[in-house]
Amino acid sequence: MKVDDIARHDAKLAPTESVRLVVTDMDGTLLTPEKQVTRRSVDTIEKLNAAGVAVCLVSSRAVVGVERYHEALHLTTPYAAMNGALVRDAQGKVLSSLVLPPDAVRATLDMLDVHEVDAWLFCGTDWIVKDATSGYVPYEHKTLGIAPTVAKDFGPWEGQVGKITGSSADYDLLERMEGEISQMLEGRASVARSAQYYLDVTPKDANKGYALRELGRLLGVAPHEIACLGDMPNDVPMLDIAGLSIAMGNASGEVASHAHFVTDTNENEGWAKAIETWVMPRVSPKAG
């Protein structure tokens, strides 16, 4: 960690001694690089549930990309998609929905276009692109398991956008644009990278800190009794407010500085190890 990162980490409040809820990121955290949940992680979720501790998924993914894992893991908790822009219960009922102001949508799309960064829109359960064959679209198609809607003009969706994603293989460019778009849309949107190749722009209150608070509210658990796990800049808002925050070993030093602890990587059972090492010892036999 850099000096500033060390200072930030050292300034954090001590971790909670009581955990009643786990809120977890998916890609780079719960999921392996192959987008799988390991047997050990599945067993660990079952142990949490048996102890009365619920597990909630929160992701930058579109709804369908979260839903498929939520169902596969037999979770009955609410979950948050698009960095919190959309929160649904286990039956698919929308509990919270936020959209970007149309002027913020236009300004973001203009900037992405100037820098030749592919732009995608996510509106509710719809994913809209201009070219289904370009850049990371085929990869995301495989990841989500759905095909995008192709449109030459994004205009008809401007008032319905829950998330804009800029995708590019130029990681340095996206890092610079994260700062530039954040400054341009200050007070109007949340801007953060969810992967080295994805830059997400969501409604002002749609970040993972909001998602963590909302999921906790729905389940009657205060933030100081929530443990969270993440690996990317878009996870920082929840790492900052959770009573127990854990960064993955594949997280950058800056992201890790916002967490109480750093576990192993998502290639080496980091999620399960984190739960076993820091969460389970903080679970009361009377949890839930």
Side-chain angles (χ1 to χ4, degrees):
M1 290 187 185
K2 298 178 181 177
V3 173
D4 289 348
D5 295 339
I6 294 172
R8 182 185 301 113
H9 178 267
D10 290 346
K12 284 185 69 69
L13 295 175
T16 184
E17 291 301 319
S18 175
V19 172
R20 296 178 54 216
L21 172 65
V22 172
V23 174
T24 181
D25 169 52
M26 293 174 59
D27 297 281
T29 302
L30 176 62
L31 305 185
T32 68
E34 294 74 36
K35 308 302 180 185
Q36 301 295 314
V37 181
T38 69
R39 181 70 252 175
R40 183 171 172 182
S41 290
V42 171
D43 290 344
T44 303
I45 290 173
E46 292 176 354
K47 290 176 183 176
L48 286 168
N49 290 336
V53 177
V55 176
C56 290
L57 303 180
V58 57
S59 176
S60 65
R61 286 174 174 236
V63 170
V64 68
V66 183
E67 187 178 47
R68 60 194 293 195
Y69 288 93
H70 188 272
E71 293 176 351
L73 292 169
H74 305 293
L75 299 177
T76 59
T77 49
Y79 59 89
M82 298 187 289
N83 290 331
L86 195 62
V87 179
R88 304 211 307 183
D89 68 13
Q91 289 71 47
K93 179 183 177 181
V94 175
L95 304 177
S96 174
S97 179
L98 303 171
V99 296
L100 282 160
D103 63 327
V105 171
R106 290 190 292 271
T108 300
L109 293 176
D110 286 346
M111 182 168 281
L112 294 175
D113 184 57
V114 166
H115 290 279
E116 299 182 343
V117 173
D118 280 349
W120 309 339
L121 303 185
F122 291 90
C123 307
T125 57
D126 296 326
W127 170 33
I128 304 99
V129 304
K130 289 189 174 180
D131 184 348
T133 64
S134 70
Y136 287 91
V137 175
Y139 172 79
E140 191 70 2
H141 181 178
K142 181 179 179 180
T143 298
L144 292 179
I146 61 167
T149 296
V150 179
K152 294 182 179 179
D153 178 17
F154 285 154
W157 287 276
E158 283 184 357
Q160 310 168 47
V161 180
K163 182 179 75 164
I164 300 172
T165 294
S167 62
S168 174
D170 189 336
Y171 304 160
D172 292 336
L173 172 61
L174 286 189
E175 184 175 3
R176 292 196 303 272
M177 292 190 70
E178 180 178 20
E180 292 173 4
I181 296 178
S182 293
Q183 185 175 23
M184 178 181 71
L185 299 181
E186 186 174 2
R188 292 188 289 161
S190 293
V191 184
R193 283 168 294 140
S194 56
Q196 288 182 305
Y197 38 84
Y198 290 161
L199 174 62
D200 295 334
V201 180
T202 54
K204 177 174 64 70
D205 293 326
N207 61 63
K208 291 191 179 180
Y210 165 82
L212 180 141
R213 290 183 186 277
E214 184 67 6
L215 293 168
R217 183 188 69 79
L218 291 166
L219 295 173
V221 182
H224 72 269
E225 292 186 297
I226 300 176
C228 76
L229 302 91
D231 72 307
M232 286 297 293
N234 66 324
D235 296 313
V236 166
M238 69 175 181
L239 294 173
D240 280 343
I241 66 173
L244 173 63
S245 53
I246 303 167
M248 299 299 293
N250 40 286
S252 68
E254 181 176 358
V255 170
S257 72
H258 291 266
H260 291 108
F261 303 110
V262 179
T263 185
D264 211 329
T265 68
N266 67 324
E267 292 183 289
N268 197 32
E269 299 287 3
W271 194 90
K273 289 177 181 177
I275 300 298
E276 294 162 0
T277 303
W278 295 298
V279 177
M280 292 304 296
R282 290 174 164 81
V283 174
S284 167
K286 298 181 180 180

